[in-house]
Amino acid sequence: MKQILIGILMAGVALPLAAQAPGLPVVNAGVASGIKVGTLVGRGNDGAGAGTTLAVNGSIGSRRASVGGYVARMSGSNWSEEAIYAPGVVGGYRLAGGPLVPVAVNLQAGAGRHSVPIGIGGERVSVWQVPVGVGISWTIPQPALAIKPWVAPRVQYSRQSRPATVLAAGAGSVTTTDVAFGLSGGVAFGLLNGVGIDLAVDRVFDDRLTSKPTTVGVGVSLNLK
């Protein structure tokens, strides 16, 4: 697998990378007020690394805006024999909608970084992922919980830095950038006690890749307002 990664890099083709954190969908179900903590587990197809990712996350927000961060760990992927760690930050702002309006429009942007070993003297490829998109959600109130379907198109910016030793002796490192279209969607369930359950699916539409990176995830959270 490491020889394949080296061949991909020397050919100038980007590694197959998905969403913001590898193996996880981009969740854009709306702005959460108060303090929110949770976990998210995701799994991707071959284009998304085919590994299992576990993340812990937290955020703090007001009625209109929120900011948060996460740390994710991907294991069992086809990119690396070792675990891949990926920290990141996320910010959201509610453009439209409110407590009495069932439909909300949310702007969300994030940045995440991880690196992939390539098997040459401990060298690694450094990857930044920056998704920026709009989420549209609508709330279906029920006696004991709120059901919130959502969909979120986005622009997916990626930046990869490849060490010189991968390309040629004496050559400088090479940085490449790419912009693709991403789309995620799902359903968020909110209980009266602040417990939430998130189901999400994500796909990145990148013409360079034969296997479009696709991930699914499930998360559990607690919102302390």
PDB file of all heavy atoms in Angstrom, residues 80-108:
ATOM      1  N   SER A  80      -2.970   4.025   5.352  1.00  0.00           N
ATOM      2  CA  SER A  80      -1.866   3.910   6.300  1.00  0.00           C
ATOM      3  C   SER A  80      -2.071   2.716   7.218  1.00  0.00           C
ATOM      4  O   SER A  80      -3.206   2.398   7.599  1.00  0.00           O
ATOM      5  CB  SER A  80      -1.761   5.197   7.142  1.00  0.00           C
ATOM      6  OG  SER A  80      -0.843   5.037   8.202  1.00  0.00           O
ATOM      7  N   GLU A  81      -0.968   2.068   7.580  1.00  0.00           N
ATOM      8  CA  GLU A  81      -1.034   0.969   8.530  1.00  0.00           C
ATOM      9  C   GLU A  81      -1.175   1.468   9.960  1.00  0.00           C
ATOM     10  O   GLU A  81      -1.561   0.711  10.846  1.00  0.00           O
ATOM     11  CB  GLU A  81       0.220   0.094   8.402  1.00  0.00           C
ATOM     12  CG  GLU A  81       0.359  -0.579   7.038  1.00  0.00           C
ATOM     13  CD  GLU A  81       1.663  -1.329   6.902  1.00  0.00           C
ATOM     14  OE1 GLU A  81       2.466  -1.293   7.870  1.00  0.00           O
ATOM     15  OE2 GLU A  81       1.891  -1.929   5.841  1.00  0.00           O
ATOM     16  N   GLU A  82      -0.851   2.714  10.186  1.00  0.00           N
ATOM     17  CA  GLU A  82      -0.995   3.293  11.520  1.00  0.00           C
ATOM     18  C   GLU A  82      -2.202   4.207  11.575  1.00  0.00           C
ATOM     19  O   GLU A  82      -2.772   4.595  10.541  1.00  0.00           O
ATOM     20  CB  GLU A  82       0.271   4.066  11.906  1.00  0.00           C
ATOM     21  CG  GLU A  82       0.543   5.267  11.025  1.00  0.00           C
ATOM     22  CD  GLU A  82       1.820   5.986  11.425  1.00  0.00           C
ATOM     23  OE1 GLU A  82       2.906   5.389  11.298  1.00  0.00           O
ATOM     24  OE2 GLU A  82       1.703   7.155  11.856  1.00  0.00           O
ATOM     25  N   ALA A  83      -2.616   4.545  12.781  1.00  0.00           N
ATOM     26  CA  ALA A  83      -3.781   5.410  12.953  1.00  0.00           C
ATOM     27  C   ALA A  83      -3.480   6.819  12.453  1.00  0.00           C
ATOM     28  O   ALA A  83      -2.347   7.298  12.546  1.00  0.00           O
ATOM     29  CB  ALA A  83      -4.198   5.443  14.416  1.00  0.00           C
ATOM     30  N   ILE A  84      -4.499   7.482  11.939  1.00  0.00           N
ATOM     31  CA  ILE A  84      -4.394   8.854  11.454  1.00  0.00           C
ATOM     32  C   ILE A  84      -5.181   9.759  12.402  1.00  0.00           C
ATOM     33  O   ILE A  84      -6.375   9.534  12.630  1.00  0.00           O
ATOM     34  CB  ILE A  84      -4.948   8.982  10.025  1.00  0.00           C
ATOM     35  CG1 ILE A  84      -4.139   8.110   9.055  1.00  0.00           C
ATOM     36  CG2 ILE A  84      -4.928  10.441   9.572  1.00  0.00           C
ATOM     37  CD1 ILE A  84      -4.720   8.054   7.661  1.00  0.00           C
ATOM     38  N   TYR A  85      -4.504  10.756  12.956  1.00  0.00           N
ATOM     39  CA  TYR A  85      -5.153  11.693  13.879  1.00  0.00           C
ATOM     40  C   TYR A  85      -5.441  13.004  13.145  1.00  0.00           C
ATOM     41  O   TYR A  85      -4.609  13.494  12.374  1.00  0.00           O
ATOM     42  CB  TYR A  85      -4.273  11.941  15.094  1.00  0.00           C
ATOM     43  CG  TYR A  85      -4.161  10.738  15.986  1.00  0.00           C
ATOM     44  CD1 TYR A  85      -3.154   9.788  15.780  1.00  0.00           C
ATOM     45  CD2 TYR A  85      -5.063  10.524  17.027  1.00  0.00           C
ATOM     46  CE1 TYR A  85      -3.056   8.663  16.589  1.00  0.00           C
ATOM     47  CE2 TYR A  85      -4.971   9.406  17.844  1.00  0.00           C
ATOM     48  CZ  TYR A  85      -3.964   8.481  17.615  1.00  0.00           C
ATOM     49  OH  TYR A  85      -3.878   7.367  18.412  1.00  0.00           O
ATOM     50  N   ALA A  86      -6.630  13.564  13.398  1.00  0.00           N
ATOM     51  CA  ALA A  86      -7.056  14.751  12.667  1.00  0.00           C
ATOM     52  C   ALA A  86      -7.789  15.714  13.592  1.00  0.00           C
ATOM     53  O   ALA A  86      -8.951  15.485  13.926  1.00  0.00           O
ATOM     54  CB  ALA A  86      -7.960  14.350  11.502  1.00  0.00           C
ATOM     55  N   PRO A  87      -7.153  16.802  14.019  1.00  0.00           N
ATOM     56  CA  PRO A  87      -7.855  17.852  14.763  1.00  0.00           C
ATOM     57  C   PRO A  87      -8.477  18.865  13.806  1.00  0.00           C
ATOM     58  O   PRO A  87      -8.069  18.962  12.635  1.00  0.00           O
ATOM     59  CB  PRO A  87      -6.735  18.487  15.591  1.00  0.00           C
ATOM     60  CG  PRO A  87      -5.523  18.330  14.725  1.00  0.00           C
ATOM     61  CD  PRO A  87      -5.703  17.045  13.960  1.00  0.00           C
ATOM     62  N   GLY A  88      -9.453  19.616  14.294  1.00  0.00           N
ATOM     63  CA  GLY A  88     -10.063  20.624  13.446  1.00  0.00           C
ATOM     64  C   GLY A  88     -10.976  21.553  14.223  1.00  0.00           C
ATOM     65  O   GLY A  88     -11.279  21.326  15.398  1.00  0.00           O
ATOM     66  N   VAL A  89     -11.413  22.612  13.556  1.00  0.00           N
ATOM     67  CA  VAL A  89     -12.324  23.600  14.144  1.00  0.00           C
ATOM     68  C   VAL A  89     -13.497  23.814  13.186  1.00  0.00           C
ATOM     69  O   VAL A  89     -13.370  23.631  11.970  1.00  0.00           O
ATOM     70  CB  VAL A  89     -11.618  24.941  14.421  1.00  0.00           C
ATOM     71  CG1 VAL A  89     -10.560  24.778  15.493  1.00  0.00           C
ATOM     72  CG2 VAL A  89     -11.012  25.508  13.142  1.00  0.00           C
ATOM     73  N   VAL A  90     -14.640  24.228  13.744  1.00  0.00           N
ATOM     74  CA  VAL A  90     -15.854  24.465  12.964  1.00  0.00           C
ATOM     75  C   VAL A  90     -16.564  25.692  13.523  1.00  0.00           C
ATOM     76  O   VAL A  90     -16.659  25.863  14.743  1.00  0.00           O
ATOM     77  CB  VAL A  90     -16.808  23.262  13.010  1.00  0.00           C
ATOM     78  CG1 VAL A  90     -18.053  23.530  12.160  1.00  0.00           C
ATOM     79  CG2 VAL A  90     -16.118  21.994  12.544  1.00  0.00           C
ATOM     80  N   GLY A  91     -17.077  26.536  12.629  1.00  0.00           N
ATOM     81  CA  GLY A  91     -17.872  27.685  13.042  1.00  0.00           C
ATOM     82  C   GLY A  91     -19.142  27.770  12.222  1.00  0.00           C
ATOM     83  O   GLY A  91     -19.154  27.425  11.034  1.00  0.00           O
ATOM     84  N   GLY A  92     -20.232  28.203  12.849  1.00  0.00           N
ATOM     85  CA  GLY A  92     -21.502  28.307  12.138  1.00  0.00           C
ATOM     86  C   GLY A  92     -22.228  29.588  12.481  1.00  0.00           C
ATOM     87  O   GLY A  92     -22.056  30.156  13.571  1.00  0.00           O
ATOM     88  N   TYR A  93     -23.042  30.066  11.521  1.00  0.00           N
ATOM     89  CA  TYR A  93     -23.838  31.269  11.733  1.00  0.00           C
ATOM     90  C   TYR A  93     -25.209  31.062  11.084  1.00  0.00           C
ATOM     91  O   TYR A  93     -25.303  30.657   9.919  1.00  0.00           O
ATOM     92  CB  TYR A  93     -23.154  32.493  11.132  1.00  0.00           C
ATOM     93  CG  TYR A  93     -23.912  33.780  11.372  1.00  0.00           C
ATOM     94  CD1 TYR A  93     -23.828  34.433  12.594  1.00  0.00           C
ATOM     95  CD2 TYR A  93     -24.722  34.322  10.383  1.00  0.00           C
ATOM     96  CE1 TYR A  93     -24.523  35.608  12.827  1.00  0.00           C
ATOM     97  CE2 TYR A  93     -25.428  35.491  10.610  1.00  0.00           C
ATOM     98  CZ  TYR A  93     -25.325  36.130  11.831  1.00  0.00           C
ATOM     99  OH  TYR A  93     -26.017  37.284  12.070  1.00  0.00           O
ATOM    100  N   ARG A  94     -26.259  31.342  11.841  1.00  0.00           N
ATOM    101  CA  ARG A  94     -27.612  31.178  11.326  1.00  0.00           C
ATOM    102  C   ARG A  94     -27.993  32.398  10.504  1.00  0.00           C
ATOM    103  O   ARG A  94     -28.105  33.519  11.011  1.00  0.00           O
ATOM    104  CB  ARG A  94     -28.597  30.986  12.471  1.00  0.00           C
ATOM    105  CG  ARG A  94     -30.045  30.770  12.006  1.00  0.00           C
ATOM    106  CD  ARG A  94     -30.964  30.533  13.178  1.00  0.00           C
ATOM    107  NE  ARG A  94     -30.594  29.311  13.900  1.00  0.00           N
ATOM    108  CZ  ARG A  94     -30.998  29.035  15.134  1.00  0.00           C
ATOM    109  NH1 ARG A  94     -31.762  29.893  15.792  1.00  0.00           N
ATOM    110  NH2 ARG A  94     -30.636  27.911  15.709  1.00  0.00           N
ATOM    111  N   LEU A  95     -28.230  32.185   9.220  1.00  0.00           N
ATOM    112  CA  LEU A  95     -28.590  33.264   8.318  1.00  0.00           C
ATOM    113  C   LEU A  95     -30.080  33.592   8.371  1.00  0.00           C
ATOM    114  O   LEU A  95     -30.470  34.751   8.197  1.00  0.00           O
ATOM    115  CB  LEU A  95     -28.204  32.894   6.879  1.00  0.00           C
ATOM    116  CG  LEU A  95     -26.719  32.652   6.609  1.00  0.00           C
ATOM    117  CD1 LEU A  95     -26.534  32.141   5.189  1.00  0.00           C
ATOM    118  CD2 LEU A  95     -25.917  33.918   6.827  1.00  0.00           C
ATOM    119  N   ALA A  96     -30.899  32.572   8.580  1.00  0.00           N
ATOM    120  CA  ALA A  96     -32.349  32.772   8.604  1.00  0.00           C
ATOM    121  C   ALA A  96     -32.977  31.705   9.478  1.00  0.00           C
ATOM    122  O   ALA A  96     -32.441  30.607   9.644  1.00  0.00           O
ATOM    123  CB  ALA A  96     -32.930  32.707   7.187  1.00  0.00           C
ATOM    124  N   GLY A  97     -34.123  32.049  10.055  1.00  0.00           N
ATOM    125  CA  GLY A  97     -34.813  31.098  10.923  1.00  0.00           C
ATOM    126  C   GLY A  97     -34.676  31.484  12.379  1.00  0.00           C
ATOM    127  O   GLY A  97     -33.786  32.236  12.757  1.00  0.00           O
ATOM    128  N   GLY A  98     -35.564  30.959  13.205  1.00  0.00           N
ATOM    129  CA  GLY A  98     -35.549  31.253  14.628  1.00  0.00           C
ATOM    130  C   GLY A  98     -36.384  30.259  15.399  1.00  0.00           C
ATOM    131  O   GLY A  98     -36.848  29.259  14.835  1.00  0.00           O
ATOM    132  N   PRO A  99     -36.591  30.496  16.685  1.00  0.00           N
ATOM    133  CA  PRO A  99     -37.328  29.539  17.525  1.00  0.00           C
ATOM    134  C   PRO A  99     -38.730  29.235  17.029  1.00  0.00           C
ATOM    135  O   PRO A  99     -39.217  28.115  17.195  1.00  0.00           O
ATOM    136  CB  PRO A  99     -37.355  30.239  18.894  1.00  0.00           C
ATOM    137  CG  PRO A  99     -36.202  31.184  18.868  1.00  0.00           C
ATOM    138  CD  PRO A  99     -36.075  31.634  17.449  1.00  0.00           C
ATOM    139  N   LEU A 100     -39.388  30.215  16.413  1.00  0.00           N
ATOM    140  CA  LEU A 100     -40.767  30.017  15.967  1.00  0.00           C
ATOM    141  C   LEU A 100     -40.869  29.686  14.477  1.00  0.00           C
ATOM    142  O   LEU A 100     -41.967  29.526  13.952  1.00  0.00           O
ATOM    143  CB  LEU A 100     -41.594  31.273  16.264  1.00  0.00           C
ATOM    144  CG  LEU A 100     -41.651  31.690  17.746  1.00  0.00           C
ATOM    145  CD1 LEU A 100     -42.474  32.947  17.906  1.00  0.00           C
ATOM    146  CD2 LEU A 100     -42.204  30.555  18.604  1.00  0.00           C
ATOM    147  N   VAL A 101     -39.733  29.600  13.803  1.00  0.00           N
ATOM    148  CA  VAL A 101     -39.706  29.297  12.371  1.00  0.00           C
ATOM    149  C   VAL A 101     -39.128  27.900  12.174  1.00  0.00           C
ATOM    150  O   VAL A 101     -37.994  27.639  12.587  1.00  0.00           O
ATOM    151  CB  VAL A 101     -38.860  30.335  11.602  1.00  0.00           C
ATOM    152  CG1 VAL A 101     -38.852  30.014  10.106  1.00  0.00           C
ATOM    153  CG2 VAL A 101     -39.392  31.732  11.861  1.00  0.00           C
ATOM    154  N   PRO A 102     -39.844  26.967  11.563  1.00  0.00           N
ATOM    155  CA  PRO A 102     -39.366  25.583  11.469  1.00  0.00           C
ATOM    156  C   PRO A 102     -38.198  25.395  10.509  1.00  0.00           C
ATOM    157  O   PRO A 102     -37.446  24.420  10.629  1.00  0.00           O
ATOM    158  CB  PRO A 102     -40.595  24.812  10.980  1.00  0.00           C
ATOM    159  CG  PRO A 102     -41.444  25.830  10.292  1.00  0.00           C
ATOM    160  CD  PRO A 102     -41.213  27.118  11.019  1.00  0.00           C
ATOM    161  N   VAL A 103     -38.014  26.298   9.547  1.00  0.00           N
ATOM    162  CA  VAL A 103     -36.938  26.163   8.560  1.00  0.00           C
ATOM    163  C   VAL A 103     -35.810  27.131   8.909  1.00  0.00           C
ATOM    164  O   VAL A 103     -36.057  28.298   9.225  1.00  0.00           O
ATOM    165  CB  VAL A 103     -37.455  26.440   7.131  1.00  0.00           C
ATOM    166  CG1 VAL A 103     -36.312  26.335   6.122  1.00  0.00           C
ATOM    167  CG2 VAL A 103     -38.569  25.459   6.772  1.00  0.00           C
ATOM    168  N   ALA A 104     -34.575  26.635   8.855  1.00  0.00           N
ATOM    169  CA  ALA A 104     -33.405  27.468   9.157  1.00  0.00           C
ATOM    170  C   ALA A 104     -32.357  27.296   8.063  1.00  0.00           C
ATOM    171  O   ALA A 104     -32.213  26.219   7.487  1.00  0.00           O
ATOM    172  CB  ALA A 104     -32.813  27.097  10.514  1.00  0.00           C
ATOM    173  N   VAL A 105     -31.632  28.385   7.804  1.00  0.00           N
ATOM    174  CA  VAL A 105     -30.526  28.375   6.853  1.00  0.00           C
ATOM    175  C   VAL A 105     -29.255  28.750   7.606  1.00  0.00           C
ATOM    176  O   VAL A 105     -29.210  29.779   8.286  1.00  0.00           O
ATOM    177  CB  VAL A 105     -30.763  29.360   5.694  1.00  0.00           C
ATOM    178  CG1 VAL A 105     -29.596  29.325   4.714  1.00  0.00           C
ATOM    179  CG2 VAL A 105     -32.063  29.027   4.973  1.00  0.00           C
ATOM    180  N   ASN A 106     -28.237  27.906   7.495  1.00  0.00           N
ATOM    181  CA  ASN A 106     -27.048  28.049   8.310  1.00  0.00           C
ATOM    182  C   ASN A 106     -25.796  28.065   7.436  1.00  0.00           C
ATOM    183  O   ASN A 106     -25.645  27.238   6.538  1.00  0.00           O
ATOM    184  CB  ASN A 106     -26.965  26.864   9.296  1.00  0.00           C
ATOM    185  CG  ASN A 106     -25.720  26.908  10.149  1.00  0.00           C
ATOM    186  OD1 ASN A 106     -25.517  27.840  10.905  1.00  0.00           O
ATOM    187  ND2 ASN A 106     -24.874  25.887  10.018  1.00  0.00           N
ATOM    188  N   LEU A 107     -24.906  29.024   7.671  1.00  0.00           N
ATOM    189  CA  LEU A 107     -23.600  29.069   7.007  1.00  0.00           C
ATOM    190  C   LEU A 107     -22.570  28.422   7.912  1.00  0.00           C
ATOM    191  O   LEU A 107     -22.488  28.757   9.102  1.00  0.00           O
ATOM    192  CB  LEU A 107     -23.204  30.518   6.715  1.00  0.00           C
ATOM    193  CG  LEU A 107     -21.798  30.732   6.126  1.00  0.00           C
ATOM    194  CD1 LEU A 107     -21.690  30.108   4.755  1.00  0.00           C
ATOM    195  CD2 LEU A 107     -21.469  32.224   6.064  1.00  0.00           C
ATOM    196  N   GLN A 108     -21.788  27.490   7.376  1.00  0.00           N
ATOM    197  CA  GLN A 108     -20.795  26.781   8.188  1.00  0.00           C
ATOM    198  C   GLN A 108     -19.469  26.679   7.448  1.00  0.00           C
ATOM    199  O   GLN A 108     -19.426  26.417   6.248  1.00  0.00           O
ATOM    200  CB  GLN A 108     -21.298  25.372   8.528  1.00  0.00           C
ATOM    201  CG  GLN A 108     -20.317  24.567   9.386  1.00  0.00           C
ATOM    202  CD  GLN A 108     -20.916  23.263   9.850  1.00  0.00           C
ATOM    203  OE1 GLN A 108     -21.816  23.242  10.693  1.00  0.00           O
ATOM    204  NE2 GLN A 108     -20.452  22.149   9.313  1.00  0.00           N
TER     205      GLN A 108
END
